[in-house]
Amino acid sequence: AEAGLRRSSPAGRRAALVLAGGLALVLALLCITEPFGYLAQVVFVLLLWSLAMLVRRLPGRFPVLLLVMLSVIVSCRYLWWRYTATLNWSHSLDLICGLVLLAAETYSWLILMLGYAQTCWPLHRQPAQLPADPSLWPRVDLLIPTYNEDLAVVRNTVYAALALDWPADKLRIYLLDDGKRESFRRFAEEVGVGYLIRPDNRHAKAGNLNHALRHIDSELVAIFDCDHVPVRSFLQLTVGWFLLDPKLALVQTPHRFFSPDPFERNLGVFRRRPNEGELFYGLVQDGNDLWNAAFFCGSCAVLRRAALDAIGGFAVETVTEDAHTALRLHRHGWSSAYLRIPQAAGLATESLSAHIAQRVRWARGMAQIFRIDNPLFGRGLNLFQRLCYANAMLHFLAGLPRLVFLTAPLAFLLLHAYIIYAPAAMIVLQVLPHMVHASLANSRMQGAYRHSFWGEVYETVLAWYIAWPTTLALIDPSKGKFNVTVKGGMMAKDQFDWRTAWPYLALAAINFLGLGFAAWRLGYGPANERATVLVSALWVTYNLLIIGAAVAVAAEVRQIRQNHRVPARLPAALRLADGRLFSGVLLDYSSGGAGIELPLELQLKAETPVWLLLHRGTREFAFAGRLTHCLGQHLGIRFDELSRQQQIDLVQCTFARADAWLDWYREQDEERLLGNFLDVLSLGLHGYVRLVEHAPQPIRPLLERLLRSLRWCASFLPRAPRTSNQQFSSRALPV
């Protein structure tokens, strides 16, 4: 048949493909809409599950598309069943509660479908070659906006920008200081970069950038947040595409972070599991690029000046000026590109409260854009651009649906409302395939960028906090203002963030109450409802463990380093005051010190003066310091006061290396669907253990019995993942 199709005319091939597609669509619709009895549903579920398990580990693109197709069929069948067979129209409370849950499920289904369309075929764009003659390379203005950040945070970014491999006469660097600080002005003058301020702070970062546009005139504009340290190859890898495509307005690269965010630090998973943003920068943006819908992310990007002028500069109407600016560029016919090659790294948020505040700003801004410049309407975008933008904006409306899922089973247990008006066995036969196939497809597509079930934890942590701001922004988009994310802070000791955690505690309390009612209904309720009670109790138990994982994140682990150490494996050498030289391996580095491993043990005392020797190209640099410790072959070094030039050389030998972040996740754990499920459940139990540990002293004795019970229960589950890096690890959990 395939040979015959190849021999046929183009019109014949098109007709055959249309016929095959139409037949597949009819079969899919039959699978979705045909009502099955119990036996038929079991056979259907087993057949599709067997097919999915057969192909899930096969290499290539076809198995991915097949898993997506199976998930789409099963999920659409589930939603069809929910709309046509599970609402109790004769009872008002049942109907209201059922419709609320159905609305949340419809939202989740929509996000699932849009996500498949967005990410099933990532582009994997490669850098474009620059002309051999550097005189043909365009001029670039590099902007570093700052407001209230400490100068210690900003220095490394400026030092690394000075090392960019680009002709000196074609690169100008500007520090945009909305804080109007004299120390920043002096610093810019000392290192030889431009310094710009403005008379007011209107429109925050977007206004700062627009003010700078009036003072610069290069063909391209590169932008870095003040804590994002670029590597030397950044411009050489990104600028080539602007020369190939005159309509290209934007080249975006990933945001990488060399310090742990609150999830990674408090849960002890730094560099062992993908962080919260890795899915977006590793897969979603790459998928967007296929549809010419890559977003501007505010940093680590290059933009064409002519394109910015054509849309009137950076968007100022919302608090997410980056995504809104990209939307306007696409509406005006400009194109974008995404290179999934990390070319910078910065500081993650230090505390859970700061992390949530940052996400709330993103969520509010996306809701504002959806309200005032909805990508589904208006001119200038193709269908898939509209879908990609809509998915990004709708994703931040997940707060209310997540809260619905965390409380839905309580409607039956507490109010005796049938939210899904169907037999318990049929509920299981419909819900489980929907969840299993979605998990299998997403595990195959997203596993390298977000491990299965961890998204549940992220969404639960944020749900309460983004629900109201996004709702308010949809009603009145003028509400809300830009807030600067705090970076570079410290935490002197372990503590529990009670102020941030109270919504999780309230959710846990009402779910525990629901479990109590479940026990009562099993003992005293009607016998024909016991299966429904059991299903509801299992749902509540799962919710409690997910909420427990959110509680675990609120148990903040101390962070006492002013300068974060970056793990590495680089050739280095150690020179002693008597002239002896020892070659070794640089294990980690920061602006204030380094760790080195030697092939032999040295018996040296703390405070012994040493010099760390590092290479950049064919040049060697020596940095004076003193030993902080000498433990066998491992030595810690604290740098002495370095000169300005030495500080620049140190950054350019470490943070600004072209390969600095390419293998950042080489030690990352594998994606394991069942293993991740058990890890998340175990983490939820540990969250309650941590809660009891941090309870106020007056009530702690009352909780000792509960703590012993939780310890006993935790012994039957896998331990929550812990990092081997002692810098970020928590104290041992009491299990």
Side-chain angles (χ1 to χ4, degrees):
E2 184 179 350
L5 186 62
R6 285 200 302 267
R7 289 194 299 269
S8 63
S9 64
R13 287 197 295 270
R14 283 196 297 271
L17 290 174
V18 170
L19 181 61
L23 180 60
L25 181 60
V26 170
L27 291 174
L29 288 175
L30 285 174
C31 288
I32 292 169
T33 60
E34 182 66 22
F36 290 158
Y38 287 104
L39 179 60
Q41 179 68 14
V42 168
V43 172
F44 177 78
V45 167
L46 290 177
L47 284 175
L48 267 63
W49 178 79
S50 300
L51 181 57
M53 296 302 292
L54 183 66
V55 304
R56 64 185 292 250
R57 297 193 183 279
L58 295 178
R61 183 66 54 184
F62 173 74
V64 176
L65 298 179
L66 182 57
L67 287 172
V68 168
M69 184 188 71
L70 294 176
S71 177
V72 169
I73 291 173
V74 172
S75 295
C76 289
R77 176 174 175 78
Y78 170 73
L79 200 67
W80 177 267
W81 173 75
R82 287 284 286 114
Y83 270 95
T84 59
T86 65
L87 294 174
N88 185 5
W89 295 92
S90 61
H91 194 282
S92 299
L93 183 60
D94 289 4
L95 182 60
I96 292 172
C97 293
L99 287 174
V100 170
L101 176 60
L102 185 55
E105 289 182 299
T106 302
Y107 165 86
S108 297
W109 172 85
L110 178 61
I111 295 299
L112 181 68
M113 298 298 110
L114 290 175
Y116 286 155
Q118 192 174 24
T119 61
C120 67
W121 202 290
L123 185 60
H124 301 318
R125 185 189 296 264
Q126 298 300 311
Q129 186 69 39
L130 285 165
D133 183 1
S135 66
L136 301 177
W137 298 0
R139 291 183 297 117
V140 180
D141 288 320
L142 190 148
L143 308 181
I144 305 172
T146 179
Y147 173 54
N148 61 358
E149 298 85 357
D150 192 275
L151 183 57
V153 174
V154 182
R155 282 196 188 99
N156 286 350
T157 301
V158 176
Y159 293 158
L162 293 170
L164 288 173
D165 287 332
W166 204 252
D169 61 332
K170 291 179 175 288
L171 175 63
R172 293 179 297 185
I173 302 167
Y174 293 90
L175 196 57
L176 315 182
D177 182 21
D178 255 5
K180 307 177 185 65
R181 292 156 290 184
E182 178 61 23
S183 60
F184 276 63
R185 187 197 63 78
R186 290 197 305 269
F187 169 73
E189 184 178 340
E190 290 170 2
V191 298
V193 302
Y195 178 76
L196 294 175
I197 60 174
R198 56 188 178 131
D200 56 52
N201 297 108
R202 291 184 66 233
H203 304 308
K205 180 181 176 181
N208 197 2
L209 293 171
N210 284 334
H211 175 264
L213 291 179
R214 297 199 291 268
H215 297 270
I216 61 177
D217 59 3
S218 293
E219 302 151 71
L220 301 178
V221 179
I223 299 174
F224 284 92
D225 283 348
C226 64
D227 64 296
H228 282 162
V229 184
V231 304
R232 59 186 300 177
S233 58
F234 172 75
L235 290 176
Q236 291 202 359
L237 264 66
T238 54
V239 170
W241 280 104
F242 289 97
L243 302 180
L244 290 181
D245 182 2
K247 292 297 291 180
L248 182 66
L250 163 72
V251 174
Q252 178 69 56
T253 65
H255 292 187
R256 184 112 333 146
F257 301 98
F258 55 79
S259 67
D261 66 27
F263 290 89
E264 295 171 307
R265 188 182 69 252
N266 298 339
L267 303 182
V269 295
F270 184 47
R271 298 186 72 207
R272 290 185 51 193
R273 295 188 185 276
N275 66 26
E276 187 190 2
E278 190 65 19
L279 176 63
F280 177 75
Y281 290 109
L283 181 63
V284 173
Q285 278 280 64
D286 217 358
N288 288 341
D289 199 20
L290 178 70
W291 309 115
N292 186 27
F295 306 158
F296 173 44
C297 301
S299 180
C300 311
V302 185
L303 297 99
R304 192 185 296 272
R305 174 61 188 270
L308 289 172
D309 291 341
I311 64 169
F314 294 92
V316 299
E317 293 82 4
T318 66
V319 295
T320 47
E321 81 294 330
D322 42 15
H324 200 181
T325 299
L327 176 60
R328 287 188 172 176
L329 289 169
H330 286 125
R331 283 198 186 280
H332 283 75
W334 295 92
S335 58
S336 62
Y338 180 71
L339 288 176
R340 199 185 63 181
I341 304 173
Q343 291 295 289
L347 293 170
T349 48
E350 300 290 351
S351 67
L352 181 59
S353 58
H355 189 87
I356 289 174
Q358 182 189 65
R359 268 46 178 186
V360 167
R361 173 169 63 84
W362 294 356
R364 178 188 289 119
M366 286 299 200
Q368 287 174 326
I369 299 173
F370 196 73
R371 175 69 169 77
I372 68 175
D373 196 6
N374 195 309
L376 296 176
F377 308 106
R379 298 181 179 179
L381 302 179
N382 62 44
L383 173 62
F384 284 98
Q385 285 177 320
R386 296 179 193 276
L387 295 181
C388 289
Y389 274 106
N391 190 32
M393 295 167 191
L394 291 171
H395 172 78
F396 284 99
L397 303 180
L400 284 176
R402 175 58 55 181
L403 293 175
V404 169
F405 294 138
L406 291 173
T407 56
L410 303 177
F412 172 74
L413 295 175
L414 301 183
L415 305 176
H416 204 246
Y418 283 87
I419 53 175
I420 303 179
Y421 195 65
M426 184 56 74
I427 293 175
V428 172
L429 288 174
Q430 292 284 356
V431 171
L432 282 183
H434 161 60
M435 297 176 63
V436 167
H437 280 277
S439 297
L440 288 172
N442 281 316
S443 176
R444 175 62 187 266
M445 294 170 62
Q446 304 177 3
Y449 314 103
R450 173 172 293 176
H451 287 179
S452 302
F453 302 103
W454 283 80
E456 302 268 315
V457 180
Y458 299 142
E459 288 188 8
T460 300
V461 169
L462 296 175
W464 177 269
Y465 291 99
I466 66 174
W468 175 245
T470 52
T471 303
L472 184 62
L474 289 176
I475 298 171
D476 185 357
S478 65
K479 298 292 184 181
K481 62 180 182 179
F482 188 95
N483 61 291
V484 177
T485 305
V486 178
K487 300 287 186 69
M490 294 189 295
M491 194 168 299
K493 61 181 181 179
D494 291 357
Q495 61 188 26
F496 192 85
D497 191 345
W498 294 97
R499 183 174 181 179
T500 300
W502 76 262
Y504 320 144
L505 303 181
L507 286 168
I510 62 173
N511 275 276
F512 273 117
L513 180 64
L515 274 187
F517 270 77
W520 177 80
R521 289 188 182 280
L522 284 174
Y524 300 98
N528 62 352
E529 288 186 345
R530 287 177 181 171
T532 304
V533 173
L534 286 173
V535 171
S536 299
L538 287 173
W539 188 352
V540 168
T541 302
Y542 178 76
N543 284 345
L544 278 170
L545 291 172
I546 294 297
I547 295 168
V551 171
V553 182
E556 299 270 23
V557 176
R558 69 173 185 161
Q559 199 291 103
I560 58 175
R561 286 192 180 274
Q562 180 67 44
N563 300 306
H564 289 276
R565 289 289 178 96
V566 179
R569 298 287 300 182
L570 298 173
L574 188 74
R575 191 176 73 203
L576 303 182
D578 59 10
R580 286 184 294 167
L581 190 66
F582 302 92
S583 61
V585 177
L586 186 71
L587 298 178
D588 57 61
Y589 59 83
S590 73
S591 300
I596 188 173
E597 180 182 45
L598 301 180
L600 72 166
E601 295 187 9
L602 297 179
Q603 302 298 323
L604 299 174
K605 296 181 179 180
E607 299 301 321
T608 299
V610 296
W611 284 263
L612 177 67
L613 307 183
L614 298 175
H615 288 270
R616 178 160 62 91
T618 58
R619 300 177 61 190
E620 185 177 69
F621 299 86
F623 305 99
R626 294 181 179 274
L627 291 183
T628 58
H629 63 268
C630 180
L631 303 175
Q633 297 173 250
H634 298 270
L635 292 82
I637 302 171
R638 181 186 68 251
F639 294 130
D640 289 339
E641 191 70 30
L642 301 179
S643 68
R644 180 80 66 193
Q645 186 57 50
Q646 286 178 315
Q647 293 178 44
I648 294 173
D649 293 336
L650 177 63
V651 170
Q652 295 178 0
C653 287
T654 53
F655 293 94
R657 299 182 344 267
D659 61 344
W661 316 111
L662 297 184
D663 59 350
W664 184 244
Y665 287 116
R666 68 177 183 274
E667 300 174 0
Q668 182 174 289
D669 295 340
E670 287 185 0
E671 156 72 351
R672 300 170 298 118
L673 190 58
L674 181 58
N676 289 327
F677 179 69
L678 294 176
D679 283 346
V680 169
L681 297 187
S682 174
L683 178 63
L685 191 54
H686 286 299
Y688 293 111
V689 174
R690 292 186 179 186
L691 174 64
V692 174
E693 285 184 322
H694 288 278
Q697 188 62 41
I699 66 171
R700 190 174 300 176
L702 301 177
L703 299 174
E704 286 299 326
R705 182 174 298 177
L706 175 61
L707 178 57
R708 287 194 296 270
S709 300
L710 288 174
R711 285 174 175 169
W712 181 80
C713 294
S715 66
F716 293 95
L717 286 173
R719 289 181 180 271
R722 299 266 311 283
T723 178
S724 59
N725 188 339
Q726 295 300 312
Q727 177 185 346
F728 304 118
S729 64
S730 170
R731 66 187 185 285
L733 291 173
V735 293

